Amino acid sequence: MSIQIRYFAAAAEAAGRDEEHLEIAAGATLSTLKAVLIERYGTLMQRVVESGSFLIDGVVRRDPAHAVGARVDVLPPFAGG
Amino acid sequence: MNDQTPASFAIISDAAIDEGAIRRAVESPASGAVVVFSGVVRNHDGGNEVWSLEYQAHPEAEALLAQCCAEVAAETGLPIAAAHRVGLLQIGDIALSAAVSAAHRREAFEACEVLVERIKQTVPIWKRQQLAGGATEWVGL
């Protein structure tokens, strides 16, 4: 299936872009997506997805078994305050 | 105690934070204690000299900050307000203002600590430090 991915902050730096469409296996989980992104973008992206989270349908998700939605935001670890 | 959740207020902006407005958002005639926390850009981190900080927020960060404030207001029964600034901030600038009022100081201090910790854990905001010499690094990564 085709998913739309948006990258923020360090994730955008690691990907060299703010968004893109990716083809990913139907029924893929966040664990699958992490592996795809690490293979695609290397060590900085690995640090991002291993310590960060994903926003799907307005909710922050960290569970690797959670299903990937049609739109996923890649969020590095939060550093507000 | 109260059967109604008190008001909460949240904003994210690239303009300088008006701490007086954040304070006034939680004040009431029943307030015996008002705690206003200021998170300020400091000139060092992990032994390195910091020149400036750039904050970025997710487009939904303000909604998530509002949710965070509403949750703490519901849990504590106290009025809550918070403002976070984004963009390029200099040393001494206020990045986060978080305010709570209560009848007595202990509950106000405790609720403010809970609020600030919750904001740092749940609101998608990022910061990049510019270190002395020009190198930059994402904080927390």
Side-chain angles (χ1 to χ4, degrees), chain B:
Chain B
M1 213 175 71
N2 292 332
D3 55 2
Q4 283 188 323
T5 296
S8 61
F9 170 79
I11 187 170
I12 291 179
S13 168
D14 60 3
I17 290 174
D18 180 353
E19 279 192 310
I22 300 306
R23 177 195 174 88
R24 286 191 295 278
V26 300
E27 282 177 337
S28 83
S31 308
V34 179
V35 171
V36 182
F37 169 80
S38 306
V40 180
V41 178
R42 63 169 181 261
N43 68 355
H44 61 96
D45 186 51
N48 296 313
E49 184 184 348
V50 174
W51 279 353
S52 62
L53 274 186
E54 180 198 352
Y55 283 85
Q56 295 180 12
H58 187 277
E60 290 182 47
E62 190 172 74
L64 290 160
L65 179 63
Q67 185 182 324
C68 180
C69 290
E71 282 173 9
V72 176
E75 289 165 16
T76 61
L78 302 173
I80 300 285
H84 206 298
R85 192 173 172 192
V86 292
L88 186 62
L89 275 67
Q90 305 299 328
I91 306 306
D93 284 346
I94 298 168
L96 169 66
S97 177
V100 181
S101 73
H104 305 287
R105 72 179 184 280
R106 182 181 299 277
E107 57 201 280
F109 274 121
E110 287 176 359
C112 196
E113 170 65 13
V114 168
L115 172 64
V116 173
E117 195 59 38
R118 190 83 56 92
I119 289 169
K120 292 171 87 79
Q121 285 175 10
T122 65
V123 182
I125 293 174
W126 303 281
K127 62 188 169 209
R128 182 160 51 183
Q129 314 192 111
Q130 184 171 12
L131 302 174
T136 61
E137 65 179 18
W138 291 101
V139 175
L141 189 60

Side-chain angles (χ1 to χ4, degrees), chain A residues 1 4 9 15 19 41 51 56 67 72 80:
Chain A
M1 62 179 183
Q4 186 192 5
E19 60 183 310
Y41 295 117
S51 56
I56 302 173
V72 179

Side-chain angles (χ1 to χ4, degrees), chain A residues 2 6 9 12 18 21 30 37 39 45 47 51-52 54 69 78:
Chain A
S2 175
R6 295 193 298 178
D18 294 328
H21 284 85
L30 287 179
L37 293 178
E39 188 184 358
M45 185 62 83
R47 283 161 58 202
S51 56
F54 298 86
F78 304 157

Side-chain angles (χ1 to χ4, degrees), chain A residues 37-55:
Chain A
L37 293 178
I38 291 168
E39 188 184 358
R40 203 169 162 86
Y41 295 117
T43 54
L44 180 57
M45 185 62 83
Q46 181 168 11
R47 283 161 58 202
V48 168
V49 297
E50 285 181 353
S51 56
S53 58
F54 298 86
L55 191 75

